[in-house]
Amino acid sequence: SLVRAWVSDGFEAITDRYDAILLNAPWPQGDEKTNINTRDPGGAFIRRILASVHEYLTPNGSLFLMSTPKIDGFLPQDPKKF
């Protein structure tokens, strides 16, 4: 199959490398505790994903990240450095 999908807490269920990863991330926000299924208090989840995504992408692979426009404060200044 050319497409695979998982329900996983981040990359816990992933064992291979891929040319593309599509992630519909929960919305990063401050430290408020609201619905944990749709919100990412303090941006902890998105930071964890960005720190390890290189382990799951092929050398020329891409991460396609869907989230809220408020994500800018949680992204590195230079996207090549994640």
Coordinates of all heavy atoms in Angstrom, one line a residue:
S1 N 0.8 -1.2 0.0 CA 0.0 0.0 0.0 C 0.9 1.3 0.0 O 1.9 1.3 0.7 CB -0.9 0.0 1.2 OG -1.6 1.2 1.4
L2 N 0.4 2.3 -0.7 CA 1.2 3.5 -0.8 C 0.9 4.4 0.4 O 1.6 5.4 0.7 CB 0.9 4.2 -2.1 CG 1.4 3.5 -3.3 CD1 0.9 4.2 -4.6 CD2 2.9 3.3 -3.3
V3 N -0.3 4.2 1.0 CA -0.7 5.1 2.1 C -0.9 4.2 3.4 O -1.6 3.2 3.3 CB -2.0 5.9 1.8 CG1 -2.4 6.7 3.0 CG2 -1.7 6.8 0.6
R4 N -0.4 4.7 4.5 CA -0.7 4.0 5.8 C -1.2 5.0 6.8 O -0.7 6.2 6.7 CB 0.6 3.4 6.3 CG 1.1 2.2 5.5 CD 2.3 1.6 6.1 NE 2.8 0.5 5.2 CZ 3.9 -0.1 5.4 NH1 4.7 0.2 6.4 NH2 4.3 -1.0 4.6
A5 N -2.0 4.6 7.7 CA -2.5 5.5 8.7 C -2.5 4.8 10.1 O -2.7 3.6 10.1 CB -3.9 6.0 8.4
W6 N -2.2 5.6 11.1 CA -2.1 5.1 12.4 C -2.8 6.0 13.4 O -2.9 7.2 13.2 CB -0.7 5.0 13.0 CG 0.1 3.9 12.3 CD1 0.3 2.7 12.8 CD2 0.9 4.1 11.2 NE1 1.2 2.0 11.9 CE2 1.6 2.9 10.9 CE3 1.2 5.1 10.3 CZ2 2.5 2.7 9.9 CZ3 2.0 4.9 9.2 CH2 2.7 3.7 9.0
V7 N -3.4 5.5 14.5 CA -3.8 6.2 15.6 C -2.6 6.0 16.6 O -2.4 4.9 17.0 CB -5.1 5.8 16.2 CG1 -5.4 6.5 17.4 CG2 -6.2 6.0 15.1
S8 N -2.0 7.1 17.0 CA -0.8 6.9 17.8 C -0.5 8.2 18.6 O -0.9 9.2 18.2 CB 0.4 6.6 16.9 OG 1.6 6.5 17.6
D9 N 0.1 8.0 19.8 CA 0.5 9.2 20.5 C 1.9 9.6 20.0 O 2.9 9.1 20.3 CB 0.7 8.8 22.0 CG 1.1 10.0 22.9 OD1 1.1 11.1 22.3 OD2 1.4 9.8 24.0
G10 N 1.8 10.5 19.0 CA 3.1 10.9 18.3 C 3.5 9.8 17.4 O 2.8 9.2 16.7
F11 N 4.8 9.4 17.5 CA 5.4 8.4 16.7 C 5.5 7.0 17.4 O 6.2 6.1 16.9 CB 6.8 8.8 16.2 CG 6.7 10.0 15.3 CD1 7.4 11.2 15.6 CD2 6.0 10.0 14.1 CE1 7.3 12.3 14.8 CE2 5.9 11.1 13.3 CZ 6.6 12.3 13.6
E12 N 4.8 6.8 18.5 CA 5.0 5.6 19.2 C 4.7 4.3 18.4 O 5.3 3.3 18.6 CB 4.1 5.6 20.5 CG 4.6 6.5 21.6 CD 3.7 6.5 22.8 OE1 2.8 5.8 22.9 OE2 4.0 7.3 23.7
A13 N 3.7 4.4 17.5 CA 3.4 3.2 16.7 C 4.1 3.1 15.4 O 3.9 2.2 14.6 CB 1.8 3.2 16.4
I14 N 5.0 4.0 15.1 CA 5.7 4.1 13.8 C 7.1 3.4 13.9 O 7.8 3.6 14.9 CB 5.9 5.6 13.4 CG1 4.6 6.3 13.5 CG2 6.5 5.6 12.0 CD1 3.4 5.8 12.8
T15 N 7.4 2.6 12.9 CA 8.7 1.8 13.0 C 9.5 2.1 11.7 O 10.7 1.7 11.7 CB 8.4 0.3 13.2 OG1 7.6 -0.1 12.1 CG2 7.7 0.0 14.5
D16 N 9.0 2.6 10.7 CA 9.7 2.8 9.4 C 10.0 4.3 9.2 O 9.6 5.1 9.9 CB 8.9 2.2 8.3 CG 8.7 0.7 8.4 OD1 9.7 0.0 8.8 OD2 7.6 0.2 8.0
R17 N 10.6 4.5 8.0 CA 10.8 5.9 7.5 C 9.9 6.1 6.3 O 9.7 5.2 5.5 CB 12.3 6.1 7.1 CG 13.2 6.1 8.3 CD 14.6 6.4 7.9 NE 15.5 6.5 9.0 CZ 15.8 7.7 9.6 NH1 15.4 8.8 9.1 NH2 16.6 7.7 10.6
Y18 N 9.5 7.4 6.1 CA 8.5 7.7 5.1 C 8.9 8.9 4.3 O 9.6 9.8 4.8 CB 7.1 7.8 5.7 CG 6.7 6.6 6.3 CD1 6.9 6.3 7.7 CD2 6.0 5.6 5.6 CE1 6.5 5.1 8.2 CE2 5.6 4.4 6.1 CZ 5.9 4.2 7.4 OH 5.5 3.0 8.0
D19 N 8.5 9.0 3.0 CA 8.7 10.1 2.2 C 7.9 11.3 2.6 O 8.3 12.5 2.4 CB 8.4 9.8 0.7 CG 9.4 8.7 0.2 OD1 10.6 8.8 0.5 OD2 8.9 7.9 -0.6
A20 N 6.8 11.1 3.2 CA 5.9 12.1 3.6 C 5.1 11.7 4.9 O 4.7 10.5 5.0 CB 4.9 12.5 2.5
I21 N 5.0 12.6 5.8 CA 4.1 12.4 7.0 C 3.2 13.6 7.1 O 3.6 14.7 7.0 CB 5.0 12.3 8.3 CG1 5.9 11.1 8.2 CG2 4.1 12.3 9.5 CD1 6.9 11.0 9.4
L22 N 1.9 13.2 7.2 CA 0.8 14.2 7.3 C 0.4 14.2 8.8 O 0.0 13.1 9.3 CB -0.3 13.9 6.4 CG -1.6 14.8 6.6 CD1 -1.3 16.2 6.3 CD2 -2.7 14.3 5.7
L23 N 0.4 15.3 9.5 CA 0.0 15.3 10.9 C -1.0 16.4 11.1 O -0.8 17.6 10.8 CB 1.3 15.6 11.7 CG 1.0 15.9 13.2 CD1 0.6 14.6 13.9 CD2 2.3 16.4 13.9
N24 N -2.1 16.0 11.6 CA -3.2 17.0 12.1 C -3.0 17.1 13.6 O -3.5 16.4 14.4 CB -4.6 16.4 11.7 CG -5.6 17.4 12.0 OD1 -5.4 18.6 12.4 ND2 -6.9 17.0 11.9
A25 N -2.2 18.1 13.9 CA -1.8 18.3 15.3 C -2.8 19.0 16.1 O -3.6 19.8 15.6 CB -0.5 19.1 15.4
P26 N -2.9 18.7 17.4 CA -3.8 19.5 18.3 C -3.2 20.9 18.4 O -2.1 21.2 18.1 CB -3.7 18.8 19.7 CG -2.4 18.0 19.6 CD -2.2 17.7 18.2
W27 N -4.1 21.8 18.6 CA -3.7 23.2 18.6 C -2.8 23.6 19.8 O -3.2 23.4 21.0 CB -4.9 24.1 18.7 CG -5.8 24.1 17.5 CD1 -5.7 23.3 16.4 CD2 -6.9 24.9 17.2 NE1 -6.6 23.6 15.5 CE2 -7.4 24.6 16.0 CE3 -7.5 26.0 18.0 CZ2 -8.5 25.2 15.4 CZ3 -8.6 26.6 17.4 CH2 -9.1 26.2 16.1
P28 N -1.6 24.1 19.6 CA -0.8 24.5 20.7 C -1.3 25.8 21.3 O -1.9 26.6 20.6 CB 0.6 24.8 20.0 CG 0.3 25.0 18.6 CD -0.9 24.3 18.3
Q29 N -1.2 25.9 22.6 CA -1.7 27.1 23.3 C -0.9 27.2 24.6 O 0.0 26.4 24.8 CB -3.2 26.9 23.6 CG -3.5 25.8 24.5 CD -5.0 25.6 24.8 OE1 -5.7 25.8 23.9 NE2 -5.3 25.3 26.0
G30 N -1.2 28.2 25.3 CA -0.5 28.4 26.6 C -0.7 27.3 27.5 O -1.0 26.2 27.1
D31 N -0.6 27.5 28.8 CA -0.6 26.4 29.7 C -2.1 26.1 30.2 O -2.2 25.2 31.1 CB 0.2 26.7 31.0 CG 1.7 26.7 30.6 OD1 2.1 25.9 29.7 OD2 2.4 27.5 31.2
E32 N -3.1 26.7 29.6 CA -4.4 26.4 30.0 C -4.8 25.0 29.7 O -4.4 24.4 28.7 CB -5.5 27.3 29.2 CG -5.1 28.7 29.2 CD -4.3 29.1 28.0 OE1 -4.4 28.6 26.9 OE2 -3.4 30.0 28.3
K33 N -5.5 24.3 30.6 CA -5.9 22.9 30.5 C -7.3 22.9 30.0 O -8.2 23.2 30.8 CB -5.8 22.2 31.8 CG -4.4 22.2 32.4 CD -3.6 21.0 32.0 CE -2.3 21.0 32.8 NZ -1.2 20.4 32.1
T34 N -7.5 22.7 28.7 CA -8.9 22.6 28.2 C -9.0 21.2 27.6 O -8.5 20.2 28.2 CB -9.2 23.6 27.2 OG1 -8.2 23.5 26.1 CG2 -9.1 25.0 27.7
N35 N -9.7 21.0 26.6 CA -9.9 19.7 26.0 C -8.6 19.1 25.4 O -8.1 19.6 24.4 CB -11.0 19.7 24.9 CG -11.3 18.4 24.3 OD1 -10.5 17.4 24.5 ND2 -12.4 18.3 23.6
I36 N -8.0 18.2 26.1 CA -6.7 17.6 25.7 C -6.7 16.9 24.4 O -5.7 16.7 23.7 CB -6.1 16.7 26.9 CG1 -4.6 16.4 26.7 CG2 -6.9 15.4 26.9 CD1 -3.8 17.6 27.0
N37 N -7.9 16.5 23.9 CA -8.0 15.9 22.6 C -7.8 16.9 21.4 O -7.4 16.5 20.3 CB -9.3 15.2 22.4 CG -9.4 14.0 23.4 OD1 -8.5 13.2 23.5 ND2 -10.5 13.9 24.0
T38 N -8.1 18.1 21.6 CA -8.0 19.1 20.6 C -6.9 20.2 20.9 O -6.6 21.0 20.0 CB -9.3 19.8 20.3 OG1 -9.8 20.4 21.5 CG2 -10.3 18.8 19.8
R39 N -6.5 20.3 22.1 CA -5.5 21.3 22.5 C -4.2 20.7 23.0 O -4.2 19.6 23.5 CB -6.1 22.2 23.6 CG -7.4 22.8 23.2 CD -7.2 24.0 22.2 NE -8.4 24.7 22.1 CZ -9.3 24.6 21.0 NH1 -9.0 23.7 20.1 NH2 -10.3 25.4 20.9
D40 N -3.1 21.5 22.8 CA -1.8 21.0 23.2 C -1.2 22.0 24.2 O -0.5 23.0 23.8 CB -0.9 20.9 22.0 CG 0.5 20.5 22.3 OD1 0.8 20.0 23.4 OD2 1.3 20.6 21.4
P41 N -1.6 21.9 25.5 CA -1.1 22.8 26.5 C 0.4 23.0 26.5 O 1.2 22.1 26.5 CB -1.6 22.3 27.8 CG -2.7 21.4 27.5 CD -2.4 20.8 26.1
G42 N 0.8 24.3 26.3 CA 2.3 24.6 26.3 C 3.0 24.2 25.1 O 4.2 24.3 24.9
G43 N 2.3 23.6 24.1 CA 2.9 23.1 22.9 C 3.8 21.9 23.0 O 4.6 21.6 22.2
A44 N 3.6 21.2 24.1 CA 4.4 20.0 24.4 C 4.4 18.9 23.4 O 5.4 18.4 23.0 CB 4.1 19.4 25.8
F45 N 3.2 18.6 22.8 CA 3.1 17.6 21.8 C 3.8 18.0 20.5 O 4.6 17.2 20.0 CB 1.6 17.3 21.5 CG 1.4 16.3 20.4 CD1 1.6 14.9 20.7 CD2 1.2 16.7 19.1 CE1 1.4 14.0 19.7 CE2 1.0 15.7 18.1 CZ 1.1 14.4 18.4
I46 N 3.6 19.2 20.1 CA 4.2 19.6 18.8 C 5.7 19.7 18.9 O 6.4 19.4 18.0 CB 3.5 20.9 18.3 CG1 3.9 21.2 16.8 CG2 4.0 22.1 19.1 CD1 3.3 20.1 15.9
R47 N 6.2 20.2 20.1 CA 7.6 20.2 20.3 C 8.2 18.8 20.3 O 9.3 18.6 19.7 CB 8.0 20.9 21.6 CG 7.7 22.4 21.6 CD 7.9 23.0 23.0 NE 7.1 24.2 23.2 CZ 7.6 25.4 23.0 NH1 8.8 25.6 22.5 NH2 6.8 26.4 23.2
R48 N 7.6 17.8 20.9 CA 8.0 16.5 20.9 C 8.1 15.9 19.5 O 9.0 15.2 19.1 CB 7.1 15.6 21.8 CG 7.5 14.2 21.9 CD 6.8 13.5 23.0 NE 5.4 13.7 23.0 CZ 4.5 12.8 22.7 NH1 4.8 11.5 22.4 NH2 3.2 13.0 22.8
I49 N 7.0 16.2 18.7 CA 7.0 15.7 17.3 C 8.1 16.3 16.5 O 8.8 15.6 15.7 CB 5.6 16.1 16.6 CG1 4.5 15.3 17.3 CG2 5.6 15.9 15.1 CD1 4.6 13.8 17.1
L50 N 8.3 17.6 16.6 CA 9.4 18.3 15.8 C 10.8 17.8 16.2 O 11.6 17.8 15.4 CB 9.2 19.8 15.9 CG 8.0 20.4 15.3 CD1 7.9 21.9 15.6 CD2 7.9 20.1 13.8
A51 N 10.9 17.5 17.5 CA 12.2 17.0 17.9 C 12.6 15.6 17.4 O 13.8 15.3 17.2 CB 12.3 17.0 19.4
S52 N 11.6 14.8 17.0 CA 11.9 13.5 16.6 C 11.5 13.1 15.2 O 11.8 12.0 14.7 CB 11.3 12.5 17.6 OG 9.9 12.6 17.6
V53 N 10.9 14.0 14.4 CA 10.4 13.7 13.1 C 11.5 13.3 12.2 O 11.2 12.4 11.3 CB 9.6 14.9 12.5 CG1 10.5 16.1 12.2 CG2 8.8 14.5 11.3
H54 N 12.7 13.7 12.3 CA 13.8 13.3 11.4 C 14.1 11.8 11.5 O 14.6 11.2 10.6 CB 15.0 14.1 11.8 CG 15.6 13.8 13.2 ND1 15.1 14.4 14.3 CD2 16.5 13.0 13.6 CE1 15.7 13.9 15.3 NE2 16.6 13.1 14.9
E55 N 13.7 11.2 12.6 CA 13.9 9.7 12.8 C 12.9 8.9 11.9 O 13.1 7.7 11.7 CB 13.7 9.3 14.2 CG 14.8 10.0 15.1 CD 14.5 9.7 16.6 OE1 13.9 8.6 16.9 OE2 14.8 10.5 17.4
Y56 N 11.9 9.5 11.4 CA 10.8 8.8 10.7 C 10.6 9.3 9.3 O 9.8 8.7 8.5 CB 9.5 9.0 11.5 CG 9.6 8.5 12.9 CD1 9.9 9.4 13.9 CD2 9.6 7.1 13.1 CE1 10.1 8.9 15.2 CE2 9.8 6.7 14.4 CZ 10.0 7.5 15.5 OH 10.2 7.1 16.7
L57 N 11.5 10.2 8.8 CA 11.4 10.7 7.4 C 12.6 10.2 6.7 O 13.7 10.1 7.2 CB 11.4 12.2 7.4 CG 10.1 12.9 7.8 CD1 10.4 14.4 7.9 CD2 9.0 12.6 6.8
T58 N 12.4 9.9 5.4 CA 13.6 9.5 4.5 C 14.4 10.8 4.4 O 14.0 11.9 4.7 CB 13.1 9.0 3.2 OG1 12.3 10.0 2.6 CG2 12.3 7.7 3.3
P59 N 15.6 10.7 3.8 CA 16.5 11.9 3.7 C 15.8 13.1 3.0 O 16.1 14.3 3.4 CB 17.7 11.4 3.0 CG 17.8 10.0 3.4 CD 16.4 9.5 3.5
N60 N 15.0 12.9 2.0 CA 14.3 14.0 1.4 C 12.9 14.0 1.7 O 12.1 14.7 1.0 CB 14.5 13.8 -0.2 CG 15.9 14.0 -0.6 OD1 16.6 15.0 -0.1 ND2 16.4 13.2 -1.4
G61 N 12.5 13.4 2.8 CA 11.1 13.4 3.2 C 10.6 14.7 3.7 O 11.4 15.6 4.1
S62 N 9.3 14.9 3.8 CA 8.6 16.1 4.2 C 7.6 15.8 5.3 O 6.8 14.8 5.2 CB 7.9 16.8 3.0 OG 8.8 17.1 2.1
L63 N 7.4 16.8 6.2 CA 6.4 16.8 7.2 C 5.3 17.8 6.8 O 5.7 18.9 6.5 CB 6.9 17.1 8.6 CG 5.8 17.4 9.7 CD1 5.1 16.1 10.0 CD2 6.5 18.0 10.9
F64 N 4.1 17.3 6.6 CA 3.0 18.3 6.3 C 2.2 18.4 7.6 O 1.6 17.4 8.1 CB 2.1 17.7 5.2 CG 2.9 17.6 3.9 CD1 3.6 16.4 3.6 CD2 2.9 18.7 3.0 CE1 4.3 16.3 2.4 CE2 3.7 18.6 1.8 CZ 4.3 17.4 1.5
L65 N 2.2 19.6 8.1 CA 1.6 19.8 9.5 C 0.4 20.7 9.3 O 0.5 21.8 8.8 CB 2.7 20.5 10.3 CG 2.3 21.0 11.7 CD1 1.9 19.8 12.6 CD2 3.4 21.7 12.4
M66 N -0.7 20.2 9.8 CA -2.0 21.0 9.8 C -2.2 21.4 11.3 O -2.1 20.6 12.2 CB -3.1 20.1 9.3 CG -3.0 19.6 7.9 SD -4.4 18.7 7.3 CE -4.8 17.6 8.6
S67 N -2.4 22.7 11.5 CA -2.7 23.2 12.8 C -3.3 24.6 12.7 O -3.6 25.0 11.6 CB -1.4 23.2 13.7 OG -1.7 23.4 15.0
T68 N -3.3 25.2 13.8 CA -3.9 26.6 13.9 C -2.8 27.6 13.5 O -1.6 27.3 13.6 CB -4.3 26.9 15.3 OG1 -4.7 28.2 15.4 CG2 -3.2 26.6 16.3
P69 N -3.2 28.8 13.0 CA -2.2 29.8 12.7 C -1.4 30.2 13.9 O -0.3 30.8 13.8 CB -3.0 31.0 12.2 CG -4.3 30.4 11.8 CD -4.5 29.2 12.6
K70 N -1.8 29.9 15.1 CA -1.1 30.3 16.3 C 0.1 29.4 16.6 O 0.8 29.5 17.6 CB -2.0 30.3 17.5 CG -3.2 31.3 17.4 CD -4.1 31.1 18.6 CE -5.3 32.1 18.5 NZ -6.2 32.0 19.6
I71 N 0.4 28.6 15.7 CA 1.5 27.6 15.9 C 2.9 28.3 15.7 O 3.9 27.7 16.2 CB 1.4 26.4 14.9 CG1 2.3 25.3 15.4 CG2 1.7 26.8 13.5 CD1 2.0 24.0 14.7
D72 N 3.0 29.4 15.1 CA 4.3 30.1 14.8 C 5.2 30.2 16.0 O 6.4 30.0 15.9 CB 4.0 31.5 14.3 CG 3.4 31.5 12.9 OD1 3.3 30.4 12.3 OD2 3.1 32.5 12.4
G73 N 4.6 30.5 17.2 CA 5.5 30.6 18.4 C 6.1 29.3 18.9 O 6.9 29.3 19.7
F74 N 5.6 28.2 18.3 CA 6.1 26.8 18.8 C 7.0 26.2 17.7 O 7.5 25.1 18.0 CB 4.9 25.9 19.0 CG 4.0 26.4 20.1 CD1 2.9 27.2 19.8 CD2 4.3 26.1 21.4 CE1 2.1 27.7 20.8 CE2 3.5 26.6 22.4 CZ 2.4 27.4 22.1
L75 N 7.2 26.9 16.6 CA 8.1 26.4 15.5 C 9.5 27.0 15.6 O 9.6 28.1 16.0 CB 7.5 26.7 14.2 CG 6.1 26.0 13.9 CD1 5.6 26.5 12.5 CD2 6.2 24.5 13.8
P76 N 10.5 26.2 15.2 CA 11.8 26.8 15.2 C 11.9 27.9 14.1 O 11.2 27.9 13.1 CB 12.7 25.6 14.8 CG 11.8 24.6 14.2 CD 10.5 24.8 14.7
Q77 N 12.8 28.9 14.3 CA 13.0 30.0 13.3 C 13.4 29.4 12.0 O 13.0 29.9 11.0 CB 14.0 31.0 13.9 CG 13.5 31.7 15.1 CD 12.4 32.6 14.8 OE1 12.2 33.2 13.7 NE2 11.5 32.7 15.8
D78 N 14.3 28.4 12.0 CA 14.8 27.8 10.8 C 14.2 26.4 10.7 O 14.6 25.5 11.4 CB 16.3 27.8 10.8 CG 16.9 27.2 9.5 OD1 16.1 26.7 8.6 OD2 18.1 27.2 9.4
P79 N 13.2 26.2 9.8 CA 12.6 24.8 9.7 C 13.5 23.7 9.4 O 13.3 22.6 9.8 CB 11.5 25.0 8.6 CG 11.4 26.4 8.4 CD 12.6 27.1 8.9
K80 N 14.7 24.0 8.8 CA 15.6 22.9 8.5 C 16.3 22.5 9.8 O 17.1 21.5 9.8 CB 16.7 23.4 7.5 CG 16.0 23.7 6.2 CD 17.1 24.1 5.2 CE 16.4 24.4 3.8 NZ 17.3 24.8 2.8
K81 N 16.1 23.1 10.9 CA 16.8 22.8 12.2 C 16.0 21.9 13.1 O 16.3 21.6 14.2 CB 17.2 24.0 12.9 CG 18.3 24.8 12.2 CD 18.9 25.9 13.1 CE 20.0 26.5 12.3 NZ 20.6 27.6 13.1
F82 N 14.9 21.4 12.6 CA 14.2 20.4 13.4 C 14.6 19.1 13.1 O 15.2 18.3 13.1 CB 12.7 20.5 13.5 CG 11.8 20.6 12.4 CD1 12.0 20.1 11.1 CD2 10.6 21.3 12.6 CE1 11.1 20.3 10.1 CE2 9.7 21.4 11.6 CZ 9.9 20.9 10.3

